[in-house]
Amino acid sequence: MPIVRLDEATVRRIAAGEVVERPASVVKELVENALDAGARAIRVEIAAGGRELIRVQDDGCGMLPEELPLAVERHTTSKLRDFADLARLTTYGFRGEALAAISAVSDFEIASRPPASGHGARLRVRFGKPGRVEPVGMSVGTIVTVRDLFATVPARRRFLRQDVTETAYVQRVLAALALARPEVRVEFVVDGRTALATPGSGRLVDALAGVYGAETAASIVPLEPIESGEVAVHGAIGLPAVARANRQSLFLLVNGRWIESRTLVAAIEQAYHTLLMVGRYPIGVVAVSLPPDRVDVNVHPTKREVRFADERAVAAAVHEAVRRTLLSHLPAQPPPAVTFSPLEPPVIQRRLLVADPSRVPPPPPVISPAAPETGEAPSSAPPAEGRLPILRVLGQVRQSYIIAEGPDGMYLIDQHAAHERILLEHLLDQLATRGVEQQRLLEPLVLELTPQQLETSVRYARELRELGWEMDPFGGTSVAVRAVPAVVQRNIERVLTAVLDELATGGRGTTPLERVAISTACHSAIRAGQELSLPEMRELIRQLEQCQAPNACGHGRPTVVHLSTEELERHFGRR
Ligand code: ADP
Ligand code: MG
């Protein structure tokens, strides 16, 4: 074939493919134009994933009627005069190609009115063929309407995905621009329904709420600002709890421009290392600022990728900012090598184990508002030695240990040992005062015991009865249980046989009565491996806080281990 010069329409269509890939790229170009025009409010509307309709309306500086035909030509721009300008570019656009490309592959209309004009003008361009400029009544700004995108380019139209997917791409574009420019009000309407709206308050938190929803935005924290060399990093990132299953909710900005960069995404994900489960990805917006001559924005037709003079320095700064922010917001996770020290030696407080009927609980400390007789300053009673501080429950580990935060660091509480301690003190308190609370069974529970268990039940009948266990021989090795201690709320058979076995082999406690009490408390307590709700954990901690000796169970094992703030900091090399 002989070489010929392609006609203008063909050249345009070929070029359009570079800039206009899908509805989202159209929206990106149009919204960037609106921002370049100084818009304070931008409304984007699409129908059928952008295939049928894309309309972008702004309140920016507008254009004069005679500028409209120029604007839709190729290489026409008001933003650049020569190549040297590229290095100091402050606008999104500069190639002067977008309107030409979009109007070549759609039924396109641009209507615009500058503030000085009393009315606007519009120009329709149908698939590359411009009509005439006509006057039109409209408010100040520009409205671009794109219909039937790619109707004359079947190959490209076939390549489009389902409407929901194309809509999601558009939404991502608008989210990025809304986050880049919190001072601009952005509204996105999909098939008549508002899908995203930011207030244009100028505050990033408001833009985050508009993009992610208020609930998720509450878990997005400001980046600790970093300035290293020529690179500054700011923005906001989501805590691990609000990570997503894909990478679509993380936005990178370089000098206010939304870009894609595998390197920077990798640097951010690396900062979340060990904090995110496999297959979960960070969300948020990370904005890098650096001198314009340290980054080349002209390496990609849609300006989606940039080239850094020193990419490693940028990646390092981004990593550092994200990592620091995460560490300052997350509860510390002790490495497995940490050895916890018990709060105090696990010694059973003997005086609590003496069943002395004359013992009454000490009266609450009375604080007189003024003590004129002695002249001493009134003081609140200091917390008793070994008492627990007020704790805030954070969660449960291995369904066995409760994690809590106290005034000085972290506490791990063994749920079984703690409950055992609580029940034991209840029992001892009741023994010492009004007698152990008992629960009568509606019908006697007949249990088959081993000969040894039967013998133990007879031998310690008096102590068992004092603790609330009431049973009679029921022929053979059976007993009929008529009443149980009120602390035994279920599994009566299991608890009683365990108590009898423990009594037979000795167990802890100096007197048989103590041994029955300790054993009953132990076997009635919640066990390790039982999932507890947050309210249940809080109640358990509240009761433990009220114990006289909260730090050891009846068997002398620790109930609480404490890692002080100082120790925490030492473990992480902060001291
Ligand atoms: P570029 O943005 O690269 O300059 P475009 O083809 O996107 O090229 O736009 C061409 C020109 O049309 C712009 O330089 C600008 O002068 C004008 N223009 C486009 N959109 C708007 C708008 N929303 N408001 C005001 N002027 C606009
Ligand atoms: Mg443009």
Side-chain angles (χ1 to χ4, degrees):
M1 280 209 296
I3 296 179
V4 295
R5 200 173 291 277
L6 289 173
D7 66 77
E8 174 62 17
T10 308
V11 172
R12 270 202 199 198
R13 256 193 224 175
I14 292 170
E18 274 194 351
V19 181
V20 188
E21 190 188 350
R22 57 182 357 125
S25 33
V26 172
V27 169
K28 179 166 185 283
E29 293 296 336
L30 296 180
V31 172
E32 287 184 348
N33 280 349
L35 291 170
D36 284 345
R40 307 297 299 180
I42 300 172
R43 186 176 189 274
V44 178
E45 193 185 337
I46 67 170
R51 234 177 293 239
E52 274 174 21
L53 170 77
I54 297 170
R55 178 180 287 129
V56 177
Q57 176 168 14
D58 69 59
D59 61 353
C61 66
M63 279 172 281
L64 292 167
E66 57 269 29
E67 288 181 306
L68 294 181
L70 264 180
V72 297
E73 274 179 36
R74 289 190 76 197
H75 309 302
T76 52
T77 179
S78 57
K79 302 164 190 177
L80 191 73
R81 289 292 172 262
D82 56 43
F83 196 73
D85 285 349
L86 256 184
R88 343 176 244 281
L89 205 67
T90 55
T91 54
Y92 289 105
F94 56 84
R95 300 169 66 101
E97 274 178 335
L99 295 188
I102 297 165
S103 62
V105 292
S106 70
D107 182 356
F108 174 97
E109 187 187 88
I110 184 164
S112 198
R113 176 185 156 192
S117 308
H119 58 82
R122 72 173 172 210
L123 172 64
R124 188 163 173 189
V125 183
R126 288 189 207 207
F127 302 99
K129 292 186 198 70
R132 270 209 313 248
V133 177
E134 298 169 355
V136 63
M138 64 182 290
S139 49
V140 170
T142 302
I143 305 173
V144 174
T145 308
V146 175
R147 293 183 191 276
D148 298 332
L149 183 65
F150 300 138
T152 52
V153 197
R156 179 89 1 151
R157 201 167 168 95
R158 267 198 301 277
F159 170 82
L160 292 183
R161 312 264 294 271
Q162 286 185 336
D163 288 1
V164 282
T165 312
E166 295 299 336
T167 301
Y169 284 128
V170 174
Q171 178 138 359
R172 180 162 153 79
V173 166
L174 292 174
L177 292 170
L179 292 173
R181 304 291 294 272
E183 76 283 8
V184 177
R185 194 147 53 90
V186 177
E187 191 190 359
F188 178 37
V189 176
V190 178
D191 299 320
R193 198 179 49 82
T194 299
L196 181 157
T198 63
S201 67
R203 302 189 325 148
L204 183 59
V205 278
D206 294 332
L208 288 165
V211 167
Y212 294 100
E215 204 176 309
T216 300
S219 296
I220 302 179
V221 298
L223 273 184
E224 303 213 344
I226 284 255
E227 287 215 45
S228 75
E230 296 176 311
V231 187
V233 182
H234 65 277
I237 46 150
L239 297 177
V242 289
R244 300 253 164 106
N246 60 54
R247 293 190 167 95
Q248 300 305 304
S249 303
L250 177 68
F251 301 95
L252 293 173
L253 306 176
V254 171
N255 290 347
R257 215 178 260 286
W258 174 41
I259 59 139
E260 311 271 11
S261 162
R262 279 164 175 271
T263 311
L264 295 192
V265 168
I268 294 168
E269 289 177 0
Q270 181 62 31
Y272 277 82
H273 182 63
T274 74
L275 302 174
L276 284 183
M277 280 187 300
V278 176
R280 305 294 288 178
Y281 301 95
I283 70 171
V285 54
V286 174
V288 176
S289 312
L290 68 176
D293 60 342
R294 304 295 287 163
V295 53
D296 186 355
V297 295
N298 190 30
V299 296
H300 192 276
T302 65
K303 300 158 263 153
R304 206 159 55 198
E305 284 164 26
V306 296
R307 192 178 294 133
F308 297 103
D310 187 353
E311 187 170 52
R312 282 182 57 183
V314 176
V318 163
H319 179 273
E320 167 86 355
V322 175
R323 187 74 188 167
R324 254 204 230 168
T325 305
L326 287 174
L327 290 180
S328 72
H329 278 88
L330 291 176
Q333 302 184 329
V338 172
T339 50
F340 293 102
S341 49
L343 252 190
E344 60 172 26
V347 178
I348 297 185
Q349 307 230 322
R350 293 237 62 87
R351 66 188 169 81
L352 283 179
L353 294 175
V354 179
D356 175 2
S358 68
R359 183 185 156 253
V360 278
V366 180
I367 304 161
S368 48
E373 302 96 320
T374 61
E376 277 171 28
S379 66
S380 54
E385 198 64 37
R387 283 282 190 105
L388 271 191
I390 304 292
L391 298 179
R392 183 170 71 93
V393 172
L394 299 175
Q396 195 182 20
V397 178
R398 299 202 59 171
Q399 299 176 331
S400 301
Y401 305 100
I402 298 169
I403 302 191
E405 183 183 25
D408 179 30
M410 190 190 87
Y411 291 77
L412 267 180
I413 294 115
D414 181 322
Q415 66 190 39
H416 168 76
H419 196 216
E420 181 180 337
R421 161 51 57 181
I422 292 165
L423 295 181
L424 177 62
E425 292 205 6
H426 276 319
L427 287 174
L428 295 173
D429 191 54
Q430 291 167 3
L431 261 181
T433 54
R434 53 195 183 277
V436 169
E437 223 175 283
Q438 216 181 26
Q439 189 194 334
R440 285 219 154 257
L441 303 183
L442 286 178
E443 275 177 31
L445 175 69
V446 176
L447 297 182
E448 184 74 27
L449 301 178
T450 65
Q452 190 182 34
Q453 286 166 345
L454 181 67
E455 193 199 310
T456 310
S457 77
V458 173
R459 186 156 146 221
Y460 295 108
R462 196 177 60 82
E463 288 84 2
L464 285 165
R465 184 173 293 260
E466 213 176 325
L467 251 297
W469 293 107
E470 247 181 71
M471 65 201 97
D472 305 316
F474 197 74
T477 56
S478 298
V479 289
V481 181
R482 302 186 187 281
V484 300
V487 297
V488 182
Q489 306 222 316
R490 64 207 134 151
N491 295 329
I492 293 172
E493 174 170 8
R494 208 197 66 213
V495 176
L496 178 60
T497 52
V499 167
L500 294 174
D501 288 343
E502 202 165 276
L503 275 177
T505 57
R508 282 288 292 234
T510 41
T511 67
L513 191 61
E514 276 175 21
R515 279 153 53 193
V516 177
I518 291 171
S519 183
T520 300
C522 175
H523 296 289
S524 317
I526 51 165
R527 315 189 127 204
Q530 184 176 331
E531 192 168 328
L532 299 179
S533 69
L534 214 49
E536 285 173 323
M537 288 190 269
R538 287 200 194 105
E539 178 57 21
L540 189 74
I541 299 300
R542 194 188 62 77
Q543 293 190 17
L544 187 65
E545 283 163 2
Q546 288 169 355
C547 283
Q548 301 281 332
N551 299 318
C553 78
H555 293 90
R557 287 191 301 271
T559 53
V560 181
V561 289
H562 174 212
L563 194 63
S564 71
T565 307
E566 195 188 316
E567 283 172 281
L568 274 174
E569 291 186 339
R570 208 155 13 86
H571 282 303
F572 292 106
R574 294 191 164 207
R575 284 207 174 202

